[in-house]
Amino acid sequence: MKPSHSRLRTAAAACALTLAPAGLIAPVPFAVAAPATTNPGDNPVLLMSVGASRVINLRGSMSDVIVTDPGVADVHVRSQDQLYILAKAPGETAVTVTTTGGKTLYSATIRVGTNLTSIDQMLKLAMPEADITVSKMNGLMLLTGTVGAPEDAAEAERLVQAFTTSPGAPPVTIVSRLRTATPLQVNLQVKIAEVSRNLTNQIGMNWSGLGDGTGRFSGYVARADRPFFSQEATTGVLKFQQPSDGSTTLGFVARMFGMDVIGALDLAETSGLATMLAQPNLTSLSGETASFLAGGEYPYQVDSGNNVTTIEFKQYGVQLAFTPTVLADGRISLRVRPTVSSLDFSINSSVPALKTRTAETTVELGSGQAFMIAGLMNNETGNNADKVPGLGNLPVLGSLFKSRRFQRDETELVIVVTPYLVRPMNAADVRLPTDGYRNPTTVQGTLMQQSADGVSGASAPKPSIAPSAPPSDPANGVSPQASAAPVPPQRQDARKDKRSASADAISPGFTF
């Protein structure tokens, strides 16, 4: 058995030598076997790239060539003392060459890798799903194309930096203009809470003296913050008037020094608390700006010159503008600008001014994390006193000749912003409160006192298509099912009526 095997190996080598001069060299089908055991120094490692070749010159005549994995590297025999190693695919294999007596002439481990001669090939190997183009311009690298996720853009920059930067050399400038294949969307939930508290305290003395002209002292003496009385022209009777500001009045009428004296003490205290809560929700693509307004617009006139007046509008209310940018690690860089404004008629009753509070900031946070803009407080205090000069400064009686008004307004504004990374949902998964709602019938509404029928939030009606009729046999005009399995006449008519009724009940469109 062993001499026969040796003769086969000799014949294979002879065939290779015969075909070599004619240029018909072809790979010889070698048997796959384990490499021969040699010393570590006699078994070198050859590093080759795909498509490369290596010439091996032997010290003697070879008899057998053994390749463990011909799919990684193949061997072409040139002569009995020379062979070619051709790298075919990435991987590792072993090549062993022996003589007729079994002596090892050559043994090596072949490691084949991808030949990365350009940055584009490297990026294609590392990120096969991305479409990236690298352009060299003015000493920098420009990356353009699309990637699957934001983190892939940062990874592409790191790979290009490692591939192009030589040891000891300064890093290469890389400009990335990569875009994600599916733009990411950011939903922003904003809560704007405002609390306003005011306190007004008013106390004042109004009095008036009227002379009839018959006494020794006659004339008109008065001090009043408001028209607190009236006098009839025919009878001369004095009447008090109720204040329109809701204050409490204590009045008296007397005759003093020949004059009719009427006085009123106004007492008022007002305290109030007002709250406002707005919850706008906005969704925007990464890098795009979205805005929101919950309020209105008021018109005002603008003089354009040449006696031409135009009308312009100014927005007021709760406004929000934000620009999200999704970063490589999935975090969100958010630039947000909330504004809360209201009309102010204290300066001009016909042309209002705007009280505006605005905050603008840029933060970085993850999806579902919230940040708060607080400390937007406004505290206004006023203390006004109206008095008669001289008389109003008297220690005790001075209170009869002056009025005092104290007012304090406190407002605090808190804004909570929460961004979320969102993805679109299927329309079939949408459930609305109106889905499944039905108007009650006459019997349900009249006898059972029902205001609605159905279940709120149930699955909405879906479109349906009328089923097609089964094909009929043109020879006898009956369907194949009927000819294969005949049924009694009465049962066949019943099925036909039921089928026609079902076809009439189901039609294209929405069915209820």
Side-chain angles (χ1 to χ4, degrees), residues 65-86:
V65 178
I66 302 173
V67 181
T68 58
D69 191 354
V72 176
D74 203 355
V75 176
H76 284 219
V77 178
R78 175 64 177 174
S79 62
Q80 286 188 345
D81 58 354
Q82 188 180 70
L83 56 84
Y84 294 90
I85 299 178
L86 304 179

Side-chain angles (χ1 to χ4, degrees), residues 39-94:
N39 295 327
D42 299 333
N43 190 14
V45 177
L46 294 183
L47 301 179
M48 302 179 63
S49 301
V50 176
S53 63
R54 183 71 61 88
V55 179
I56 304 298
N57 296 317
L58 305 176
R59 296 181 180 181
S61 299
M62 61 180 172
S63 175
D64 294 328
V65 178
I66 302 173
V67 181
T68 58
D69 191 354
V72 176
D74 203 355
V75 176
H76 284 219
V77 178
R78 175 64 177 174
S79 62
Q80 286 188 345
D81 58 354
Q82 188 180 70
L83 56 84
Y84 294 90
I85 299 178
L86 304 179
K88 299 174 62 177
E92 181 175 332
T93 185

Side-chain angles (χ1 to χ4, degrees), residues 211-246:
D212 55 5
T214 59
R216 296 180 179 180
F217 182 80
S218 179
Y220 177 80
V221 180
R223 183 199 173 276
D225 293 334
R226 63 178 181 85
F228 63 97
F229 74 96
S230 63
Q231 185 179 18
E232 295 184 359
T234 57
T235 61
V237 178
L238 300 177
K239 293 184 178 180
F240 288 98
Q241 294 183 2
Q242 181 69 22
S244 59
D245 58 357

Side-chain angles (χ1 to χ4, degrees), residues 180-258:
T180 56
T182 303
L184 299 178
Q185 301 180 86
V186 179
N187 176 263
L188 191 69
Q189 294 184 2
V190 180
K191 294 182 180 181
I192 301 176
E194 182 181 13
V195 179
S196 177
R197 181 173 59 184
N198 59 76
L199 174 63
T200 302
N201 193 328
Q202 180 179 354
I203 179 172
M205 187 67 186
N206 301 325
W207 61 275
S208 177
L210 302 176
D212 55 5
T214 59
R216 296 180 179 180
F217 182 80
S218 179
Y220 177 80
V221 180
R223 183 199 173 276
D225 293 334
R226 63 178 181 85
F228 63 97
F229 74 96
S230 63
Q231 185 179 18
E232 295 184 359
T234 57
T235 61
V237 178
L238 300 177
K239 293 184 178 180
F240 288 98
Q241 294 183 2
Q242 181 69 22
S244 59
D245 58 357
S247 61
T248 302
T249 298
L250 301 177
F252 63 92
V253 178
R255 190 169 183 83
M256 182 182 300
F257 304 114

